[in-house]
Amino acid sequence: MTANNSKSFWFIFYKDNILLEKRNGKHTIPNEYDSLIPTLPNVIVHEVASLDGIVCKTLSLDHPVEESDQYVMMGLRASYDYIEEKLYNMAGKAAEILHWDKNSRYCPACGIKTIQTTPICKQCPQCKQEYYPAIATAIIVLIRKDDSILLVHARNFRGTFHGLVAGFLETGETLEECVKREVMEETGLTINNITYFGNQPWPYPSGLMVGFTADYVSGEIKLQDEELSSGAFYTKDNLPELPRKLSMARRLIDHWLETQQ
Ligand SMILES: [Zn+2]
């Protein structure tokens, strides 16, 4: 049991940035805690899961780790291009645990301090209500029209790329109803053949992205101005800048491109 401290994966965050270790010309998640930071007063260490038999732990620092020959901090999204996918996925889970921890310190009903009872459960000592990490579900949809697809630029996109229509599931709604509503609200288009494609945890800050494909039926594109700044149907030879590889949007677009050869 005592060996765990010296051999764990350490997912160490400062705000949205994660600490990576540079080793043999590659980047990875540090796993030699003792050599990393000798003393970390007042830091809560959370156990996330285990990966290939190695315990994964996470913590949030109140100051960044200075860049050196050995360490660098970068945004979680950016880390996708540097570390193994299984480590990136675990980093996302770690980020969601930290987000939950920060936002569940007090019982929302009683206002008193909660107590952590398991790695993913806190309980109010007064009303006994239990609190688990909340996952916000969102849909994302690729809409086909003849040999083209609808690509939009949302005002909250981080960059100039074009992606797909997406939005959060509302209470009492099925995923398919959500797809229809979001597409109508954001673009004014009617669609059918809504088909499940896949899903992906989306730790920004704590979500699940559920991907669908659908077919255009009718309507002229009328963009919801507050959300979207541009949108149009594009053929494969005429594509704008696309979302990065880590996203469900890009997986949907790449899958569609494979069918257009
Ligand atoms: Zn309570």
Side-chain angles (χ1 to χ4, degrees):
M1 294 299 282
T2 49
N4 277 354
N5 259 359
S6 57
K7 200 70 178 176
S8 304
F9 281 121
W10 286 91
F11 295 87
I12 297 174
F13 288 84
Y14 168 68
K15 296 186 176 168
D16 295 333
N17 292 322
I18 184 165
L19 182 69
L20 303 186
E21 185 175 349
K22 299 179 244 181
R23 208 187 291 156
N24 307 324
K26 289 183 178 162
H27 290 74
T28 190
I29 296 295
N31 61 13
E32 299 288 344
Y33 177 55
D34 293 345
S35 67
L36 182 61
I37 302 166
T39 52
L40 286 170
N42 306 319
V43 161
I44 307 166
V45 175
H46 293 267
E47 212 164 292
V48 182
S50 98
L51 185 65
D52 301 336
I54 299 173
V55 178
C56 300
K57 296 175 179 175
T58 189
L59 57 89
S60 182
L61 298 173
D62 61 6
H63 58 278
V65 175
E66 224 173 274
E67 183 162 355
S68 66
D69 291 342
Q70 194 179 5
Y71 296 116
V72 62
M73 297 204 89
M74 67 173 71
L76 182 57
R77 276 184 175 83
S79 75
Y80 178 83
D81 294 328
Y82 290 83
I83 58 178
E84 280 183 82
E85 190 158 4
K86 63 184 180 182
L87 290 174
Y88 167 80
N89 290 338
M90 191 61 78
K93 183 174 167 74
E96 293 193 31
I97 297 275
L98 291 175
H99 175 76
W100 165 69
D101 177 49
K102 188 176 154 202
N103 292 288
S104 61
R105 300 257 160 96
Y106 295 88
C107 174
C110 309
I112 63 171
K113 268 196 170 156
T114 52
I115 295 164
Q116 189 152 1
T117 54
T118 77
I120 53 156
C121 182
K122 294 187 188 186
Q123 190 176 34
C124 171
Q126 190 163 302
C127 72
K128 306 296 180 197
Q129 179 68 46
E130 291 179 331
Y131 298 102
Y132 299 88
I135 298 159
T137 306
I139 62 86
I140 184 158
V141 57
L142 176 136
I143 301 167
R144 294 170 298 235
K145 181 186 182 190
D146 303 322
D147 62 346
S148 63
I149 53 170
L150 179 68
L151 294 171
V152 297
H153 181 78
R155 299 194 186 281
N156 66 1
F157 282 173
R158 296 170 159 224
T160 52
F161 63 88
H162 280 62
L164 303 175
V165 171
F168 286 108
L169 183 73
E170 292 183 355
T171 47
E173 198 173 47
T174 67
L175 291 166
E176 289 81 1
E177 286 167 348
C178 178
V179 170
K180 258 188 198 163
R181 176 183 55 74
E182 284 290 345
V183 171
M184 179 51 77
E185 280 176 9
E186 295 196 2
T187 68
L189 300 180
T190 306
I191 55 169
N192 66 7
N193 296 331
I194 298 169
T195 305
Y196 173 72
F197 174 79
N199 70 100
Q200 176 189 41
W202 192 243
Y204 306 101
S206 188
L208 180 73
M209 198 63 97
V210 188
F212 290 87
T213 59
D215 289 314
Y216 166 88
V217 174
S218 64
E220 291 290 317
I221 296 174
K222 267 200 304 284
L223 296 178
Q224 189 182 47
D225 197 42
E226 295 127 46
E227 304 234 352
L228 302 182
S229 60
S230 72
F233 282 96
Y234 293 86
T235 62
K236 74 172 164 60
D237 301 319
N238 184 26
L239 292 173
E241 183 189 345
L242 296 176
R244 293 178 55 223
K245 287 274 186 193
L246 83 164
S247 65
M248 173 64 72
R250 184 59 182 270
R251 278 169 54 189
L252 276 155
I253 295 166
D254 284 349
H255 181 260
W256 171 77
L257 278 170
E258 282 169 25
T259 68
Q260 297 299 300
Q261 302 308 320

